[in-house]
Amino acid sequence: MKELIIATSNSGKIREIKDILVDIPLEIKSLSDIGLDVDVEENGKTFEENAILKAKTIGEKTGLLTLADDSGLEVDALGGKPGVNSARYAEGTDLDRINKLLKELKDILKEKRAARFRCVIALYIPLSHPESRFDRDEGSLISSVQNDNVEKIVTFKGVSEGYITEKPVGSNGFGYDPVFYLPELGKTSAQLTLKEKNRVSHRSKALIKCRDFLTNYNSL
Ligand code: ITT
């Protein structure tokens, strides 16, 4: 079976990604499974740029089909912050970052606390394939030619809308999940099981498109 490398060091992401991709006919391996410890400098201005940067760096190192995720939280009352800096918003733990966010929002009324999680999945494809095969609605294609080899990157996007709570609730998930309230479920993301989160999250929406693409890609 061909391998698919998941280019993330975030164990919360790995759990969610593996659960969605469980049935695809590819052997899924994390960076630790292949003994690779690479720190990619995320200096892109957008989620898409950073996702591509991570997929391309690891893909070029391994020469294997590689999936990367760049994601984050945008809070309207903070002009879209923490955005692409979500993982680096404050030094320390997830709770330190949550506390900084809640402090910044302390005078903001409930109805003004709208926020969204965004996710961009980038897939690095090391082999040369006719471009027409990748011409679909959702995936945007980037090709580059290096040393006579054509490498391709396809991206998939997902968004999940909600509100920031006044205090953390729930202990599942990771990152900002305890303060991200989903009005249609009446719960924070950290009160959802893995399966429940994977029915509604930004990551699952992007990954389901990626899964459909991979299913077809693999049968080409
Ligand atoms: P990799 O770069 O190794 O994948 P990372 O955690 O640094 O891991 P990002 O740069 O994409 O990943 O930062 C995403 C941050 O956004 C993440 O650390 C969380 O703080 C937050 N985030 C993204 N998706 C989330 C989710 O589903 N639930 C809660 N927080 C999330």
Side-chain angles (χ1 to χ4, degrees):
M1 217 187 317
K2 279 186 222 155
E3 291 165 310
L4 171 65
I5 308 301
I6 309 297
T8 177
S9 48
N10 180 321
S11 57
K13 286 185 184 179
I14 293 177
R15 253 195 321 273
E16 294 174 19
I17 293 169
K18 282 190 167 169
D19 180 66
I20 301 247
L21 299 183
V22 67
D23 288 328
I24 57 162
L26 291 167
E27 195 181 343
I28 297 180
K29 291 195 169 164
S30 66
L31 293 177
S32 64
D33 290 337
I34 58 167
L36 201 60
D37 184 14
V38 183
D39 195 16
V40 182
E41 201 194 334
E42 296 182 35
N43 52 16
K45 287 191 183 61
T46 62
F47 296 114
E48 186 160 34
E49 281 176 24
N50 282 333
I52 290 171
L53 207 61
K54 291 187 257 191
K56 203 163 145 51
T57 305
I58 304 300
E60 284 175 353
K61 266 197 191 315
T62 60
L64 298 169
L65 186 64
T66 300
L67 182 155
D69 165 314
D70 199 67
S71 44
L73 182 68
E74 289 177 353
V75 180
D76 287 350
L78 301 177
K81 282 199 299 183
V84 288
N85 288 319
S86 292
R88 301 168 291 278
Y89 197 43
E91 294 263 323
T93 63
D94 283 345
L95 189 58
D96 293 319
R97 287 180 275 281
I98 285 176
N99 285 336
K100 177 175 178 188
L101 185 72
L102 293 181
K103 207 167 150 197
E104 293 190 333
L105 290 175
K106 74 175 174 6
D107 298 323
I108 307 291
L109 296 175
K110 228 173 181 169
E111 60 274 18
K112 295 259 163 73
R113 296 168 76 102
R116 69 204 53 76
F117 272 126
R118 286 191 193 276
C119 174
V120 177
I121 297 290
L123 193 62
Y124 169 93
I125 302 166
L127 301 174
S128 176
H129 278 282
E131 281 192 16
S132 59
R133 300 209 173 169
F134 300 93
D135 183 19
R136 340 174 151 245
D137 286 349
E138 293 291 349
S140 60
L141 175 77
I142 295 157
S143 299
S144 68
V145 182
Q146 282 176 342
N147 307 326
D148 295 335
N149 290 321
V150 179
E151 56 183 28
K152 293 176 193 303
I153 294 177
V154 191
T155 60
F156 307 91
K157 295 176 184 164
V159 182
S160 151
E161 299 282 345
Y163 290 87
I164 302 301
T165 55
E166 282 165 1
K167 55 181 185 2
V169 184
S171 54
N172 298 333
F174 68 97
Y176 299 91
D177 279 335
V179 290
F180 189 71
Y181 181 80
L182 294 142
E184 70 274 22
L185 299 179
K187 289 177 181 178
T188 69
S189 196
Q191 291 177 291
L192 305 179
T193 63
L194 174 67
K195 295 279 176 209
E196 286 170 334
K197 183 174 173 189
N198 269 348
R199 276 200 283 275
V200 296
S201 81
H202 52 309
R203 180 163 300 102
S204 66
K205 287 173 187 162
L207 277 170
I208 286 166
K209 296 173 196 172
C210 181
R211 183 179 65 192
D212 292 347
F213 178 89
L214 280 169
T215 306
N216 293 331
Y217 165 76
N218 213 42
S219 62
L220 286 177

